[in-house]
Amino acid sequence: MEPFVTLTSKLVPLPNENVDTDQIIPARYLKVTDKQGLAEGLFAGWRYLPDGSPNPDFVLNKPEMQGRKILLAGDNFGTGSSREHAPWALMGWGFRAVISTRFADIFYNNALKNGLLPVIVDEATHRRLFQLVEAEPDIEVTIDLPSQTLRLPDGTEVTFPIDGFSKHCLLKGLDQLGYLLEHMPRIEAYEREHPPRFDTRVLVRR
Amino acid sequence: MAMTRPRTLFEKIWDDHVVYEEPGSPAILYIDLHLIHEVTSPQAFQGLREKGLRVRRPGQTLATMDHSIPTVGRDFSLMDAMAVKQIQTLEENARAFGIPLFNMFDDRQGIVHVIGPELGLTQPGMTIVCGDSHTSTHGAFGALAFGIGTSEVEHVLATQTILQRKPKTFEVRFEGARPEGVTAKDMILALIATIGTGGGVGHVFEYRGDAVRGLNMEERLTLCNMSIEGGARAGLIAPDDVTFEYLADKPFAPKGKDWDEALKRWRQLPTDPGATYDKSVTIDVSRLEPMITWGTNPAQAIPITGRIPDPDKEPDPRRRRAMERALAYMGFQPGQQLLGHPIDVVFIGSCTNARITDLRMAAQIFKGRKVAPGVRVLVVPGSQQVKRQAEAEGLDRIFKDAGAEWREPGCSMCIAMNGDRLEPGQYAVSTSNRNFEGRQGPGGRTILASPLTAAAAAVTGKITDPRPLLA
């Protein structure tokens, strides 16, 4: 995982509330067996016209949005399925952070595990960011993970929450699996005290 | 005996499964059962290969195919190349890592959340995960069950554990006598309409109250299934005699002395008197009607005789915009009554409502009636076992005689990955769990409902109150 420390970028505003994982990446794009090519399906339902051509009105298709790394999303982002294809698709397009007032639990966890930073802001800040972007679409904001702050163009700073463990992993670019593997002796000890109640392998037909 | 603080059902299961918790870090939680399907697992196995890791507990793991496979028949020619590659990848991974797999030709195959309970793998007090948000279904047995992402699938494969921050608890009380024609599906839609799709974020639901006790096991599975639609990753129901009776004869249920010991353990699981929850809500079931959704998230639901709310009367500007967008997508008007609105497709299936009791409910309405002209009806059983049982009871004949399609088991039109999908603009009454834009096919419009309400729409060709059709 690529470390995340600070990020300065212009914003891609997508004010829709309750953007669910079927909006982020529709199920028909989930037949891949790797993580490649998912950016093509990002927001596909809104991004393409029925004939498959790009919808020029959709924000992601505007030439000036290319290369931006922060999605300014509406309230309650990422509800729905557990598909990790959602953060993979967002990152494939180039996003490294999403700002919203609230994230669905599974999406939030999936994002953190891939180096996509979900930034939770209060409603007043959220409203203000949309107002600022509307007035001046090319404003830049800075996300500073060590201090957990989001800096607005006028210099004001708001803090955002993140648990210490995830923050550490993001800053160092650590895969959380490494942490679990380090604790294997404890897992083995637990298993000695809690033997499995069944073995599904009896289901294998030869 | 040492005095211990009263604990909830959730806290007891959580405490039993914490392997280790370092201050400032999430807990390492042990997983008793890991269910796998073709869509969210390939990249996890790839990760194991890249790191040279094996599957730690293949005997606590079970794989099935459900999302990408055709339900018209079982033939690779019915699938596109990517879907074929996806299921072949699962086949190879299961073989290489020693995991039992029900492939699409197996007579035990089914939707992952249907086969766990029917095999008796889902048991009270367990922790269960799957790369699928509807894993919450298994909570009906008093198991802590939740959906995980693919990175976490890899973690569980490699270590049989997962890193978790302890969620908060949310008591959901369903009280009062359940009226005729009101199902578990209507109860859960009513809850989500009350608390919103984000209402349970960060929490685990525990469903309580006399109306929950009165549900049979499969109704409880429906209730827990849609916990995630209320924002909660898991929903639990304390095990009781209904649970034990259902479980007793299942293949993986403990037998003999083991059963007696298990019972003793399981009877300790229900929430202690005096235990407290972080949040609580009560729904009066005696006042419920069959519920339907009018919008593009499951919280946008109304009683079937009700009217669509008017966004102009919504004080919160963001909720107002969301309502306006949903109305525009669905082609509905504020204040409109949906009764009598014509529909194009009826889908009876999914991990929410494709068990035998769901099919019996639907058959009750189909019996002696015909599918309305111009309406397409898919009935997709949840598993091969459900399919066989339905056929033994003659339910398949009732569906086919009425003019419905009787399919092979799978997720089918709930997620529209396998070619079963709506055409743009079509209206479908579906027993599935999500009415998101395009969920059942690009441009498709989904109205969520119970099997009774879906069947009533099928035979009348419009949104219909099922209660007068019940014999």
PDB file of all heavy atoms in Angstrom, chain B residues 322-347:
ATOM      1  N   ALA B 322     -32.563  14.479  -2.096  1.00  0.00           N
ATOM      2  CA  ALA B 322     -32.488  13.025  -2.312  1.00  0.00           C
ATOM      3  C   ALA B 322     -33.861  12.488  -2.728  1.00  0.00           C
ATOM      4  O   ALA B 322     -33.968  11.629  -3.606  1.00  0.00           O
ATOM      5  CB  ALA B 322     -31.990  12.326  -1.049  1.00  0.00           C
ATOM      6  N   MET B 323     -34.912  13.009  -2.092  1.00  0.00           N
ATOM      7  CA  MET B 323     -36.278  12.571  -2.440  1.00  0.00           C
ATOM      8  C   MET B 323     -36.628  12.974  -3.866  1.00  0.00           C
ATOM      9  O   MET B 323     -37.208  12.196  -4.624  1.00  0.00           O
ATOM     10  CB  MET B 323     -37.284  13.188  -1.461  1.00  0.00           C
ATOM     11  CG  MET B 323     -37.206  12.607  -0.055  1.00  0.00           C
ATOM     12  SD  MET B 323     -38.146  13.598   1.148  1.00  0.00           S
ATOM     13  CE  MET B 323     -39.828  13.138   0.712  1.00  0.00           C
ATOM     14  N   GLU B 324     -36.252  14.202  -4.231  1.00  0.00           N
ATOM     15  CA  GLU B 324     -36.573  14.675  -5.586  1.00  0.00           C
ATOM     16  C   GLU B 324     -35.857  13.833  -6.642  1.00  0.00           C
ATOM     17  O   GLU B 324     -36.434  13.480  -7.668  1.00  0.00           O
ATOM     18  CB  GLU B 324     -36.183  16.155  -5.732  1.00  0.00           C
ATOM     19  CG  GLU B 324     -37.159  17.077  -5.019  1.00  0.00           C
ATOM     20  CD  GLU B 324     -36.623  18.495  -4.790  1.00  0.00           C
ATOM     21  OE1 GLU B 324     -35.425  18.735  -5.060  1.00  0.00           O
ATOM     22  OE2 GLU B 324     -37.408  19.340  -4.338  1.00  0.00           O
ATOM     23  N   ARG B 325     -34.590  13.518  -6.346  1.00  0.00           N
ATOM     24  CA  ARG B 325     -33.829  12.700  -7.295  1.00  0.00           C
ATOM     25  C   ARG B 325     -34.448  11.308  -7.422  1.00  0.00           C
ATOM     26  O   ARG B 325     -34.555  10.763  -8.525  1.00  0.00           O
ATOM     27  CB  ARG B 325     -32.375  12.583  -6.834  1.00  0.00           C
ATOM     28  CG  ARG B 325     -31.384  13.161  -7.825  1.00  0.00           C
ATOM     29  CD  ARG B 325     -29.976  12.678  -7.558  1.00  0.00           C
ATOM     30  NE  ARG B 325     -29.559  12.930  -6.196  1.00  0.00           N
ATOM     31  CZ  ARG B 325     -28.993  14.073  -5.795  1.00  0.00           C
ATOM     32  NH1 ARG B 325     -28.781  15.050  -6.663  1.00  0.00           N
ATOM     33  NH2 ARG B 325     -28.634  14.234  -4.554  1.00  0.00           N
ATOM     34  N   ALA B 326     -34.854  10.749  -6.289  1.00  0.00           N
ATOM     35  CA  ALA B 326     -35.449   9.408  -6.311  1.00  0.00           C
ATOM     36  C   ALA B 326     -36.766   9.422  -7.096  1.00  0.00           C
ATOM     37  O   ALA B 326     -37.023   8.524  -7.908  1.00  0.00           O
ATOM     38  CB  ALA B 326     -35.690   8.922  -4.882  1.00  0.00           C
ATOM     39  N   LEU B 327     -37.585  10.438  -6.870  1.00  0.00           N
ATOM     40  CA  LEU B 327     -38.862  10.522  -7.584  1.00  0.00           C
ATOM     41  C   LEU B 327     -38.634  10.639  -9.092  1.00  0.00           C
ATOM     42  O   LEU B 327     -39.330  10.008  -9.891  1.00  0.00           O
ATOM     43  CB  LEU B 327     -39.687  11.722  -7.085  1.00  0.00           C
ATOM     44  CG  LEU B 327     -40.322  11.548  -5.711  1.00  0.00           C
ATOM     45  CD1 LEU B 327     -40.943  12.863  -5.226  1.00  0.00           C
ATOM     46  CD2 LEU B 327     -41.394  10.456  -5.743  1.00  0.00           C
ATOM     47  N   ALA B 328     -37.644  11.449  -9.477  1.00  0.00           N
ATOM     48  CA  ALA B 328     -37.352  11.623 -10.903  1.00  0.00           C
ATOM     49  C   ALA B 328     -36.906  10.293 -11.516  1.00  0.00           C
ATOM     50  O   ALA B 328     -37.342   9.914 -12.612  1.00  0.00           O
ATOM     51  CB  ALA B 328     -36.270  12.688 -11.097  1.00  0.00           C
ATOM     52  N   TYR B 329     -36.050   9.550 -10.794  1.00  0.00           N
ATOM     53  CA  TYR B 329     -35.550   8.276 -11.318  1.00  0.00           C
ATOM     54  C   TYR B 329     -36.691   7.269 -11.441  1.00  0.00           C
ATOM     55  O   TYR B 329     -36.791   6.526 -12.422  1.00  0.00           O
ATOM     56  CB  TYR B 329     -34.446   7.723 -10.420  1.00  0.00           C
ATOM     57  CG  TYR B 329     -33.855   6.437 -10.947  1.00  0.00           C
ATOM     58  CD1 TYR B 329     -32.837   6.468 -11.902  1.00  0.00           C
ATOM     59  CD2 TYR B 329     -34.317   5.196 -10.521  1.00  0.00           C
ATOM     60  CE1 TYR B 329     -32.293   5.291 -12.415  1.00  0.00           C
ATOM     61  CE2 TYR B 329     -33.790   4.014 -11.028  1.00  0.00           C
ATOM     62  CZ  TYR B 329     -32.783   4.074 -11.969  1.00  0.00           C
ATOM     63  OH  TYR B 329     -32.263   2.896 -12.477  1.00  0.00           O
ATOM     64  N   MET B 330     -37.551   7.244 -10.417  1.00  0.00           N
ATOM     65  CA  MET B 330     -38.628   6.245 -10.393  1.00  0.00           C
ATOM     66  C   MET B 330     -39.822   6.647 -11.260  1.00  0.00           C
ATOM     67  O   MET B 330     -40.694   5.821 -11.556  1.00  0.00           O
ATOM     68  CB  MET B 330     -39.099   6.027  -8.950  1.00  0.00           C
ATOM     69  CG  MET B 330     -38.072   5.385  -8.027  1.00  0.00           C
ATOM     70  SD  MET B 330     -37.547   3.726  -8.534  1.00  0.00           S
ATOM     71  CE  MET B 330     -39.033   2.757  -8.194  1.00  0.00           C
ATOM     72  N   GLY B 331     -39.903   7.915 -11.640  1.00  0.00           N
ATOM     73  CA  GLY B 331     -41.039   8.375 -12.436  1.00  0.00           C
ATOM     74  C   GLY B 331     -42.321   8.463 -11.626  1.00  0.00           C
ATOM     75  O   GLY B 331     -43.418   8.248 -12.151  1.00  0.00           O
ATOM     76  N   PHE B 332     -42.177   8.753 -10.344  1.00  0.00           N
ATOM     77  CA  PHE B 332     -43.349   8.891  -9.461  1.00  0.00           C
ATOM     78  C   PHE B 332     -43.547  10.352  -9.070  1.00  0.00           C
ATOM     79  O   PHE B 332     -42.637  11.174  -9.203  1.00  0.00           O
ATOM     80  CB  PHE B 332     -43.162   8.060  -8.180  1.00  0.00           C
ATOM     81  CG  PHE B 332     -43.164   6.568  -8.396  1.00  0.00           C
ATOM     82  CD1 PHE B 332     -42.409   5.729  -7.559  1.00  0.00           C
ATOM     83  CD2 PHE B 332     -43.921   5.986  -9.403  1.00  0.00           C
ATOM     84  CE1 PHE B 332     -42.409   4.345  -7.743  1.00  0.00           C
ATOM     85  CE2 PHE B 332     -43.926   4.602  -9.589  1.00  0.00           C
ATOM     86  CZ  PHE B 332     -43.164   3.783  -8.759  1.00  0.00           C
ATOM     87  N   GLN B 333     -44.735  10.670  -8.557  1.00  0.00           N
ATOM     88  CA  GLN B 333     -45.081  12.038  -8.152  1.00  0.00           C
ATOM     89  C   GLN B 333     -45.246  12.111  -6.635  1.00  0.00           C
ATOM     90  O   GLN B 333     -45.701  11.147  -6.019  1.00  0.00           O
ATOM     91  CB  GLN B 333     -46.415  12.458  -8.793  1.00  0.00           C
ATOM     92  CG  GLN B 333     -46.425  12.433 -10.310  1.00  0.00           C
ATOM     93  CD  GLN B 333     -45.365  13.328 -10.906  1.00  0.00           C
ATOM     94  OE1 GLN B 333     -45.148  14.449 -10.446  1.00  0.00           O
ATOM     95  NE2 GLN B 333     -44.647  12.831 -11.916  1.00  0.00           N
ATOM     96  N   PRO B 334     -44.929  13.259  -6.053  1.00  0.00           N
ATOM     97  CA  PRO B 334     -45.203  13.441  -4.615  1.00  0.00           C
ATOM     98  C   PRO B 334     -46.693  13.253  -4.343  1.00  0.00           C
ATOM     99  O   PRO B 334     -47.526  13.671  -5.149  1.00  0.00           O
ATOM    100  CB  PRO B 334     -44.799  14.888  -4.344  1.00  0.00           C
ATOM    101  CG  PRO B 334     -43.955  15.307  -5.493  1.00  0.00           C
ATOM    102  CD  PRO B 334     -44.357  14.467  -6.658  1.00  0.00           C
ATOM    103  N   GLY B 335     -47.011  12.606  -3.241  1.00  0.00           N
ATOM    104  CA  GLY B 335     -48.418  12.439  -2.865  1.00  0.00           C
ATOM    105  C   GLY B 335     -49.123  11.320  -3.598  1.00  0.00           C
ATOM    106  O   GLY B 335     -50.272  10.987  -3.303  1.00  0.00           O
ATOM    107  N   GLN B 336     -48.435  10.714  -4.570  1.00  0.00           N
ATOM    108  CA  GLN B 336     -49.054   9.655  -5.361  1.00  0.00           C
ATOM    109  C   GLN B 336     -49.257   8.399  -4.516  1.00  0.00           C
ATOM    110  O   GLN B 336     -48.430   8.051  -3.689  1.00  0.00           O
ATOM    111  CB  GLN B 336     -48.116   9.340  -6.543  1.00  0.00           C
ATOM    112  CG  GLN B 336     -48.641   8.304  -7.518  1.00  0.00           C
ATOM    113  CD  GLN B 336     -47.603   7.994  -8.622  1.00  0.00           C
ATOM    114  OE1 GLN B 336     -46.593   8.697  -8.765  1.00  0.00           O
ATOM    115  NE2 GLN B 336     -47.853   6.947  -9.377  1.00  0.00           N
ATOM    116  N   GLN B 337     -50.382   7.717  -4.741  1.00  0.00           N
ATOM    117  CA  GLN B 337     -50.585   6.410  -4.139  1.00  0.00           C
ATOM    118  C   GLN B 337     -50.077   5.371  -5.137  1.00  0.00           C
ATOM    119  O   GLN B 337     -50.339   5.497  -6.334  1.00  0.00           O
ATOM    120  CB  GLN B 337     -52.074   6.211  -3.871  1.00  0.00           C
ATOM    121  CG  GLN B 337     -52.345   5.226  -2.776  1.00  0.00           C
ATOM    122  CD  GLN B 337     -53.810   5.088  -2.443  1.00  0.00           C
ATOM    123  OE1 GLN B 337     -54.676   5.400  -3.275  1.00  0.00           O
ATOM    124  NE2 GLN B 337     -54.106   4.625  -1.246  1.00  0.00           N
ATOM    125  N   LEU B 338     -49.337   4.381  -4.663  1.00  0.00           N
ATOM    126  CA  LEU B 338     -48.751   3.423  -5.612  1.00  0.00           C
ATOM    127  C   LEU B 338     -49.693   2.265  -5.935  1.00  0.00           C
ATOM    128  O   LEU B 338     -49.506   1.574  -6.928  1.00  0.00           O
ATOM    129  CB  LEU B 338     -47.429   2.884  -5.075  1.00  0.00           C
ATOM    130  CG  LEU B 338     -46.279   3.897  -5.144  1.00  0.00           C
ATOM    131  CD1 LEU B 338     -44.991   3.284  -4.613  1.00  0.00           C
ATOM    132  CD2 LEU B 338     -46.059   4.389  -6.574  1.00  0.00           C
ATOM    133  N   LEU B 339     -50.697   2.064  -5.107  1.00  0.00           N
ATOM    134  CA  LEU B 339     -51.668   1.000  -5.398  1.00  0.00           C
ATOM    135  C   LEU B 339     -52.203   1.200  -6.809  1.00  0.00           C
ATOM    136  O   LEU B 339     -52.612   2.302  -7.178  1.00  0.00           O
ATOM    137  CB  LEU B 339     -52.841   1.070  -4.417  1.00  0.00           C
ATOM    138  CG  LEU B 339     -52.665   0.383  -3.068  1.00  0.00           C
ATOM    139  CD1 LEU B 339     -53.929   0.571  -2.226  1.00  0.00           C
ATOM    140  CD2 LEU B 339     -52.342  -1.103  -3.222  1.00  0.00           C
ATOM    141  N   GLY B 340     -52.201   0.125  -7.600  1.00  0.00           N
ATOM    142  CA  GLY B 340     -52.728   0.220  -8.958  1.00  0.00           C
ATOM    143  C   GLY B 340     -51.701   0.633  -9.989  1.00  0.00           C
ATOM    144  O   GLY B 340     -51.997   0.618 -11.192  1.00  0.00           O
ATOM    145  N   HIS B 341     -50.490   0.995  -9.568  1.00  0.00           N
ATOM    146  CA  HIS B 341     -49.471   1.398 -10.539  1.00  0.00           C
ATOM    147  C   HIS B 341     -49.001   0.177 -11.325  1.00  0.00           C
ATOM    148  O   HIS B 341     -48.619  -0.829 -10.738  1.00  0.00           O
ATOM    149  CB  HIS B 341     -48.283   2.053  -9.827  1.00  0.00           C
ATOM    150  CG  HIS B 341     -47.348   2.744 -10.770  1.00  0.00           C
ATOM    151  ND1 HIS B 341     -46.420   2.066 -11.519  1.00  0.00           N
ATOM    152  CD2 HIS B 341     -47.229   4.052 -11.123  1.00  0.00           C
ATOM    153  CE1 HIS B 341     -45.748   2.927 -12.277  1.00  0.00           C
ATOM    154  NE2 HIS B 341     -46.228   4.145 -12.056  1.00  0.00           N
ATOM    155  N   PRO B 342     -49.037   0.239 -12.665  1.00  0.00           N
ATOM    156  CA  PRO B 342     -48.650  -0.939 -13.450  1.00  0.00           C
ATOM    157  C   PRO B 342     -47.167  -1.297 -13.288  1.00  0.00           C
ATOM    158  O   PRO B 342     -46.334  -0.412 -13.116  1.00  0.00           O
ATOM    159  CB  PRO B 342     -48.951  -0.537 -14.905  1.00  0.00           C
ATOM    160  CG  PRO B 342     -49.187   0.918 -14.899  1.00  0.00           C
ATOM    161  CD  PRO B 342     -49.457   1.362 -13.496  1.00  0.00           C
ATOM    162  N   ILE B 343     -46.864  -2.571 -13.370  1.00  0.00           N
ATOM    163  CA  ILE B 343     -45.486  -3.051 -13.242  1.00  0.00           C
ATOM    164  C   ILE B 343     -45.167  -4.007 -14.401  1.00  0.00           C
ATOM    165  O   ILE B 343     -46.073  -4.509 -15.070  1.00  0.00           O
ATOM    166  CB  ILE B 343     -45.250  -3.747 -11.891  1.00  0.00           C
ATOM    167  CG1 ILE B 343     -46.286  -4.852 -11.631  1.00  0.00           C
ATOM    168  CG2 ILE B 343     -45.347  -2.729 -10.744  1.00  0.00           C
ATOM    169  CD1 ILE B 343     -45.768  -6.212 -11.817  1.00  0.00           C
ATOM    170  N   ASP B 344     -43.874  -4.209 -14.651  1.00  0.00           N
ATOM    171  CA  ASP B 344     -43.443  -5.013 -15.792  1.00  0.00           C
ATOM    172  C   ASP B 344     -42.884  -6.379 -15.396  1.00  0.00           C
ATOM    173  O   ASP B 344     -42.994  -7.341 -16.140  1.00  0.00           O
ATOM    174  CB  ASP B 344     -42.349  -4.260 -16.564  1.00  0.00           C
ATOM    175  CG  ASP B 344     -42.791  -2.865 -16.955  1.00  0.00           C
ATOM    176  OD1 ASP B 344     -43.675  -2.765 -17.825  1.00  0.00           O
ATOM    177  OD2 ASP B 344     -42.282  -1.880 -16.367  1.00  0.00           O
ATOM    178  N   VAL B 345     -42.211  -6.400 -14.252  1.00  0.00           N
ATOM    179  CA  VAL B 345     -41.484  -7.610 -13.855  1.00  0.00           C
ATOM    180  C   VAL B 345     -41.733  -7.863 -12.366  1.00  0.00           C
ATOM    181  O   VAL B 345     -41.892  -6.923 -11.589  1.00  0.00           O
ATOM    182  CB  VAL B 345     -39.961  -7.422 -14.097  1.00  0.00           C
ATOM    183  CG1 VAL B 345     -39.156  -8.616 -13.570  1.00  0.00           C
ATOM    184  CG2 VAL B 345     -39.669  -7.218 -15.589  1.00  0.00           C
ATOM    185  N   VAL B 346     -41.764  -9.143 -11.996  1.00  0.00           N
ATOM    186  CA  VAL B 346     -41.775  -9.511 -10.572  1.00  0.00           C
ATOM    187  C   VAL B 346     -40.616 -10.483 -10.345  1.00  0.00           C
ATOM    188  O   VAL B 346     -40.453 -11.448 -11.106  1.00  0.00           O
ATOM    189  CB  VAL B 346     -43.121 -10.146 -10.161  1.00  0.00           C
ATOM    190  CG1 VAL B 346     -43.011 -10.791  -8.773  1.00  0.00           C
ATOM    191  CG2 VAL B 346     -44.225  -9.099 -10.178  1.00  0.00           C
ATOM    192  N   PHE B 347     -39.805 -10.170  -9.346  1.00  0.00           N
ATOM    193  CA  PHE B 347     -38.677 -11.047  -9.007  1.00  0.00           C
ATOM    194  C   PHE B 347     -38.885 -11.581  -7.598  1.00  0.00           C
ATOM    195  O   PHE B 347     -38.931 -10.820  -6.627  1.00  0.00           O
ATOM    196  CB  PHE B 347     -37.356 -10.268  -9.090  1.00  0.00           C
ATOM    197  CG  PHE B 347     -36.177 -11.021  -8.543  1.00  0.00           C
ATOM    198  CD1 PHE B 347     -35.737 -12.200  -9.137  1.00  0.00           C
ATOM    199  CD2 PHE B 347     -35.484 -10.561  -7.425  1.00  0.00           C
ATOM    200  CE1 PHE B 347     -34.650 -12.904  -8.630  1.00  0.00           C
ATOM    201  CE2 PHE B 347     -34.395 -11.257  -6.908  1.00  0.00           C
ATOM    202  CZ  PHE B 347     -33.981 -12.437  -7.515  1.00  0.00           C
TER     203      PHE B 347
END
